[in-house]
Amino acid sequence: MKNHHWRCDQEHDVKKIMLATDFSERSDRALRRATLLARQFGASLSIVHVVDDDQPRRIVDSEHDAASALLRELQSTVQEVDGIPCEARVVLADPFAGIARAAEEETPDLLVIGPHRRQALRDVFVGTTAERTIRSVTCPVLMVNAPPMGSYGHVMLTTDMSEGAERAANVCRALGISRGAKVSVLHVFDAPALHLVMGHAMPADERQAYLEDERKEASRDLAAFVKSVDWRPIRQDVRQVRNSPAEEILTAAKEGSADLVVVGTHGRGGLGRFFLGSVAEAVLRRADCDVLAVPPEAAP
C-alpha cells in the first residue's frame, strides 16, 4: 500500500481539501468550514461519502443512488454559489476504511470531518469512525466541532516536546491555517514526585518549592521548543496536570477562547505520554472547539 509522503518543510498553504460527509448536521458544519478554508486558500474541494457495503445488495444500491444524488447537489452548490472547484464521489466500504482509502488515493493537504456520532458500545470496542480514520491516514485531519463563524481567531498548539509535537507545529505552520490568528503554545507538565508515597507526606512549603521548580523547568523546555520550531506564539503557557492531560488542554482552550486546538497523535512514552493516541482521542471526543490532529510522518 502506498503512503502519501506529506511534507511540511515549507509554507505552502492548502491546495486540496477533502471533506468526508454523512449528510448530517455535523457534516454541514464541516462542509461550511471546508468551503471557508478552500476560499481562503484558493483550494479545490473533494467531497466523499462512504456507503457501508456490509449490507444486502439492494440496500447498498439504494443508498448509493441516494448519496450520489445528494452529492451532485452539494457539488453544484459549492461550484456555483461558493465558486470553488469541486469533485464528489461515493465509496463502497466500511466507513473509516473508505475515507482512509479515498485520502490515500487523492492525497489531500487536509481532510475535514465532522464530530463523531456517539454509539456507546461501538465507541468502546472499536473506536469511532473519526478516531479510526485519524489513525489510518497520513494527512492532517481537521475535526469541526463548532459552527464556523469565519477564519480562526485563536490557534492553540499543544506540545509534549516530542517529535510528534514538533511535526504538528510544522504542519500547522505549513498549512497556513494559523496565519492572521492569535497563536499560543501549551505544555502540560507532570510532577512525578507527588505521585509517590512520600509525596503525600511532603511539607507544604517543600511541595510548593518542588512544583515551582517543575514549572520553571517546563517553561524553559517550552521556550526551547518554540525556538526550535521557529513559531511566533503570542503566549507560552505551562499547566500542571491534575486530573488528566486532556482535561487540562480543554480547560486551557476554553479559558483562552481558542477556536482551534492542534494536537500531534503520537508523542512520548512513560510519564510524558501526554499526546499518545489516548490523550489526542480524548481531546477529539470532548472538545467543543475545532481540533487539528496531525499524524506522524509516513515512511517514504
Side-chain angles (χ1 to χ4, degrees):
M1 182 175 72
K2 69 175 183 176
N3 281 317
H4 177 40
H5 194 57
W6 203 103
R7 295 187 60 82
C8 57
D9 50 0
Q10 61 182 347
E11 196 166 285
H12 69 287
D13 289 339
V14 180
K15 300 303 181 186
K16 184 174 185 179
I17 298 171
M18 174 177 285
L19 168 73
T21 181
D22 62 2
F23 306 117
S24 65
E25 182 181 352
R26 302 181 308 281
S27 288
D28 287 344
R29 292 180 180 181
L31 173 62
R32 177 60 180 159
R33 175 57 70 186
T35 55
L36 285 173
L37 290 172
R39 188 181 298 116
Q40 177 182 349
F41 294 112
S44 62
L45 181 62
S46 173
I47 305 177
V48 174
H49 174 77
V50 181
V51 171
D52 189 348
D53 59 355
D54 188 18
Q55 305 178 87
R57 189 68 207 180
R58 59 184 177 78
I59 296 178
V60 172
D61 290 342
S62 175
E63 290 187 3
H64 181 281
D65 292 344
S68 296
L70 288 171
L71 284 178
R72 284 193 295 270
E73 293 179 12
L74 284 180
Q75 181 181 14
S76 177
T77 299
V78 170
Q79 290 181 151
E80 296 175 12
V81 177
D82 296 299
I84 296 170
C86 182
E87 299 177 349
R89 64 167 171 150
V90 177
V91 177
L92 301 181
D94 176 86
F96 95 92
I99 297 170
R101 188 175 75 201
E104 180 185 348
E105 292 171 353
E106 299 192 24
T107 62
D109 295 302
L110 182 67
L111 171 62
V112 181
I113 59 179
H116 71 279
R117 181 183 305 161
R118 295 187 182 278
Q119 299 174 2
L121 289 176
R122 183 174 177 82
D123 284 359
V124 168
F125 291 112
V126 300
T128 67
T129 295
E131 290 159 3
R132 296 173 76 194
T133 297
I134 289 168
R135 287 196 294 264
S136 303
V137 300
T138 58
C139 63
V141 180
L142 177 63
M143 177 180 281
V144 180
N145 294 306
M149 304 300 291
S151 298
Y152 291 117
H154 178 190
V155 176
M156 188 182 83
L157 170 72
T158 57
T159 177
D160 62 353
M161 319 302 178
S162 66
E163 290 183 4
E166 181 178 349
R167 173 169 166 77
N170 290 333
V171 166
C172 184
R173 183 182 58 192
L175 289 173
I177 205 167
S178 62
R179 193 176 305 142
K182 172 185 174 182
V183 178
S184 63
V185 180
L186 170 69
H187 172 49
V188 179
F189 71 93
D190 199 4
L194 299 184
H195 303 311
L196 303 176
V197 175
M198 66 178 185
H200 299 290
M202 189 181 295
D205 56 342
E206 290 184 21
R207 184 186 183 94
Q208 187 60 39
Y210 167 72
L211 283 174
E212 187 58 30
D213 286 344
E214 291 294 309
R215 181 175 295 278
K216 288 179 180 178
E217 182 178 356
S219 296
R220 287 193 295 267
D221 290 344
L222 180 56
F225 173 85
V226 169
K227 185 177 181 180
S228 71
V229 298
D230 194 25
W231 251 46
R232 51 161 193 84
I234 295 175
R235 179 178 178 181
Q236 299 178 31
D237 187 17
V238 294
R239 300 174 72 103
Q240 178 198 354
V241 59
R242 291 181 174 83
N243 298 307
S244 73
E247 186 171 326
E248 297 298 336
I249 292 167
L250 296 174
T251 298
K254 185 174 183 179
E255 291 176 353
S257 299
D259 46 8
L260 177 64
V261 173
V262 182
V263 297
T265 59
H266 286 72
R268 301 190 302 190
L271 288 175
R273 64 181 186 280
F274 288 164
F275 297 102
L276 274 163
S278 60
V279 176
E281 288 173 6
V283 172
L284 287 161
R285 288 189 182 206
R286 296 170 50 195
D288 294 324
C289 62
D290 293 1
V291 179
L292 178 65
V294 180
E297 190 168 16

